[in-house]
Amino acid sequence: MENLLDSWGLTVATFSPLVGALVMFLIPKEKEYEHKMIALITSLWVAFVGLMLLIWFDLDATDRLQYVVDKSWIQAIHSRYVVGLDGISLPLLLLTVLIVPLCIVYSWNHFPDPKNPKTFLILILVLETGMIGTFVAQDMVLFFVFFEVVLLPMFFMIAVWGGPNRKYASLKFFLYTLFGSALMLVSFLSLFFLTGAESFVFSEIADNVVAHTVSRTAQLWIFGGMFLGFGIKVPMFPFHTWLPDAHTEAPTVGSVILAAVLLKLGTYGFVRIAIPLLPDAAVEWAPWIGLLAVIGIIYGAFCCLAQTDMKRLIAFSSVAHMGFVMLGISTLTDFGINAAIMGMVAHGLITGMLFFLAGSMKERYHTLEINRLGGLLIQAPKMGWVLGFCAMASLGLPGLAGFWGEFPAILSAYNPANGLPVETFRTFMVVAALGTVLAAGYLLWLLQRSAFGTPKEEFADDPNIHDATRTEWIAWAPLLALILAIGIYPNLVFRATDAAVDASLTPCLTIDADELTHEEIESAHCSDVYGLGDHGSDHGSDHHAVSKG
């Protein structure tokens, strides 16, 4: 079994949804039940393969790529089909293979108008191929292809099945993401030609950046292109404006996939490509990334307080929560990036669950205007309690997954990597901590207005308002269980990510100059951007003030 997984595991997981979509394409759209069963069986098969990959994954060697496949692909442009799985990509792969079947189950009796299960489910399966492929690709061209595969299905999902402003929202989503992708592609090509690499494989590019001494200026520009490409996908402030419109207009399942997985493609790009390949440029860019992250945290929170639509409020909360993820990444420390990956997983589970709830409430009330809602705990008490549970998780209550997505990210800013301004990042830490207070404010306000009190007169005797159905519980239960399980035992994620993150960072970011001699520092061949020549600097003395422990 292990040999079979080594050779075919990741390829089967990546392309099985595409095979399922092709089979559905051959079946007439009138056969709705057959389409639903094929999509569900395909997604469950992919989840089974993902589970097998987890079982056979060596958790004592998460820092190395496992299940690696390296084959010739497009020889004319020196691109190879290279896929692999390590501790960074494993949690995100598992998140993807979990979310997709849950979305299909939820859609079973919730297909939006115009009702066309065949096309809707095919788009979901194509999205799954793109998402899984992005997380396992180890070649820049292959990564770019998968990164772009998700664009068109989500565009059509919003444009065809979205709300009243779907055309505007879908076009905005498409243009923003396409612009960022173009800059990202230019950066990839520049890095390939400047390093003189013989392929686009990440590891070879990284080795050639060092060996061919790409100029500091070139590295800064290339990193800037990646920053825009990935930052728009996250999305970071001020590139976030496509997100609230896309979330608000998208059908429920589209919002769930967008929040739970698609936003993570951007943050994953920083962790997998931008920082490991261009660490010197990352040091120069990091304070600006941190600044935009904390602005996003505060800005997103204030926007949430101003919203009157439940779905739009949850969308702006994503801007704030992804700010915590980017703050952790901007510290360039193993502690911060571990916190960021935990934040990605926690946000995917919690915000995905919140969008499921918003969709179910929209189906019952036919509105998400917060001032028209109320009394959910009376009319649908189980849904009301689930909303309360998710709100508490989202605001970072200890014991739930959201806490481990926010608190370590804030703490990591106290002790940033070598070369980063300590005082600046500690200021970011204070501002981000204030953001958690604002998060509690807007989430408790949402809970109070929508779940507490008595039902409004227009909905008081509405027979359509009922508690959660069986398919809703099947779709929600795994997410609720994981939010609690990770909150109680965060090592479920940290055990996989810790060694992999540590291996992805150059030692120049983490070594302590105060513990090394001048000769040992010189032998590390670290550029002056890391400030390692300044023994006894404030940064050096503070560097281990907060330990990972």
Side-chain angles (χ1 to χ4, degrees):
M1 182 66 175
E2 188 175 4
N3 291 334
L4 191 62
L5 287 173
D6 282 338
S7 303
W8 291 97
L10 292 181
T11 301
V12 169
T14 303
F15 293 104
S16 288
L18 206 56
V19 173
L22 291 173
V23 172
M24 292 173 64
F25 188 76
L26 301 174
I27 299 174
K29 71 175 184 178
E30 291 78 17
K31 297 188 176 183
E32 180 179 323
Y33 179 77
E34 285 80 359
H35 284 295
K36 291 193 289 189
M37 285 305 299
I38 292 170
L40 180 61
I41 291 170
T42 301
S43 65
L44 290 175
W45 161 250
V46 176
F48 172 75
V49 175
L51 182 62
M52 290 297 101
L53 291 169
L54 172 63
I55 291 172
W56 291 97
F57 190 85
D58 185 357
L59 288 172
D60 294 322
T62 62
D63 55 335
R64 66 176 178 83
L65 284 174
Q66 301 180 36
Y67 310 117
V68 176
V69 176
D70 185 350
K71 302 290 184 183
S72 178
W73 183 36
I74 309 175
Q75 292 184 359
I77 60 171
H78 307 286
S79 181
R80 300 185 63 80
Y81 176 76
V82 185
V83 293
L85 195 66
D86 66 359
I88 294 174
S89 48
L90 177 65
L92 299 171
L93 171 73
L94 295 175
L95 177 65
T96 304
V97 301
L98 170 70
I99 289 292
V100 171
L102 298 185
C103 285
I104 293 172
V105 169
Y106 181 86
S107 299
W108 208 260
N109 299 312
H110 292 81
F111 285 105
D113 293 326
K115 194 175 181 183
N116 186 348
K118 174 180 178 177
T119 308
F120 192 77
L121 293 170
I122 285 175
L123 292 177
I124 291 177
L125 292 178
V126 175
L127 273 170
E128 185 173 24
T129 286
M131 295 183 294
I132 294 174
T134 302
F135 292 135
V136 301
Q138 300 296 319
D139 176 279
M140 282 183 168
V141 174
L142 188 64
F143 176 91
F144 179 80
V145 168
F146 284 125
F147 195 87
E148 291 303 290
V149 161
V150 302
L151 183 56
L152 279 176
M154 184 54 68
F155 168 78
F156 286 119
M157 197 170 282
I158 299 171
V160 177
W161 289 275
N165 296 319
R166 59 185 179 272
K167 292 181 180 179
Y168 170 77
S170 59
L171 188 62
K172 195 173 183 181
F173 161 76
F174 187 86
L175 292 177
Y176 263 77
T177 311
L178 195 64
F179 175 72
S181 298
L183 292 174
M184 182 180 72
L185 180 61
V186 170
S187 296
F188 287 175
L189 293 174
S190 301
L191 202 53
F192 173 75
F193 289 117
L194 288 175
T195 58
E198 294 183 0
S199 77
F200 284 89
V201 178
F202 297 160
S203 56
E204 185 174 335
I205 294 285
D207 293 340
N208 277 268
V209 168
V210 177
H212 288 73
T213 59
V214 179
S215 72
R216 179 76 56 80
T217 302
Q219 289 191 44
L220 288 172
W221 280 104
I222 293 170
F223 191 98
M226 293 185 189
F227 164 72
L228 286 172
F230 297 138
I232 289 171
K233 198 80 168 185
V234 171
M236 293 181 67
F237 176 91
F239 316 118
H240 67 282
T241 57
W242 64 267
L243 182 68
D245 294 314
H247 267 317
T248 304
E249 301 303 324
T252 299
V253 167
S255 292
V256 171
I257 293 175
L258 187 59
V261 185
L262 287 194
L263 304 188
K264 314 306 178 292
L265 302 186
T267 47
Y268 176 78
F270 279 105
V271 174
R272 171 64 71 199
I273 300 176
I275 294 171
L277 268 56
L278 298 168
D280 292 7
V283 172
E284 302 269 11
W285 275 92
W288 299 103
I289 295 174
L291 176 63
L292 293 178
V294 294
I295 291 174
I297 292 170
I298 301 300
Y299 172 83
F302 277 122
C303 286
C304 285
L305 290 168
Q307 297 309 308
T308 59
D309 181 274
M310 181 181 180
K311 207 173 181 187
R312 199 168 180 86
L313 187 151
I314 299 169
F316 273 108
S317 78
S318 285
V319 176
H321 284 110
M322 295 309 286
F324 287 105
V325 172
M326 289 309 303
L327 177 62
I329 290 173
S330 71
T331 66
L332 305 182
T333 60
D334 53 354
F335 186 39
I337 294 177
N338 270 298
I341 298 172
M342 171 62 87
M344 295 182 216
V345 174
H347 177 266
L349 296 171
I350 297 166
T351 309
M353 187 63 228
L354 283 170
F355 277 118
F356 270 142
L357 282 166
S360 293
M361 291 178 69
K362 178 70 176 288
E363 187 180 69
R364 288 159 172 78
Y365 290 93
H366 304 291
T367 182
L368 286 174
E369 286 293 319
I370 298 172
N371 59 6
R372 294 176 62 189
L373 302 176
L376 185 65
L377 282 166
I378 294 175
Q379 292 182 297
K382 293 175 183 176
M383 280 183 63
W385 281 110
V386 171
L387 177 61
F389 177 85
C390 294
M392 295 302 159
S394 188
L395 64 82
L397 186 73
L400 299 175
F403 175 78
W404 299 108
E406 292 181 6
F407 175 71
I410 296 170
L411 186 59
S412 68
Y414 186 84
N415 219 29
N418 292 327
L420 301 185
V422 177
E423 296 79 7
T424 301
F425 273 84
R426 289 181 181 175
T427 304
F428 293 162
M429 180 186 72
V430 174
V431 176
L434 294 175
T436 63
V437 178
L438 294 172
Y442 64 74
L443 285 162
L444 291 175
W445 175 77
L446 171 66
L447 181 63
Q448 180 190 30
R449 297 285 297 276
S450 59
F452 292 172
T454 56
K456 297 293 191 293
E457 186 176 346
E458 62 177 314
F459 300 117
D461 299 313
D462 192 335
N464 291 323
I465 300 174
H466 54 82
D467 222 329
T469 63
R470 184 176 65 176
T471 54
E472 287 171 337
W473 277 120
I474 294 171
W476 298 351
L479 299 181
L480 297 172
L482 282 171
I483 290 169
L484 182 61
I486 293 174
I488 294 172
Y489 190 65
N491 215 33
L492 288 171
V493 176
F494 287 138
R495 185 184 176 191
T497 62
D498 192 21
V501 169
D502 197 36
S504 73
L505 297 174
T506 173
C508 298
L509 288 167
T510 55
I511 59 176
D512 187 356
D514 285 353
E515 294 182 357
L516 302 176
T517 65
H518 184 70
E519 291 74 17
E520 288 173 324
I521 292 174
E522 287 196 343
S523 67
H525 302 293
C526 297
S527 68
D528 57 356
V529 74
Y530 300 98
L532 295 176
D534 304 325
H535 284 254
S537 67
D538 288 341
H539 188 280
S541 60
D542 289 337
H543 189 63
H544 287 293
V546 177
S547 68
K548 266 176 65 179

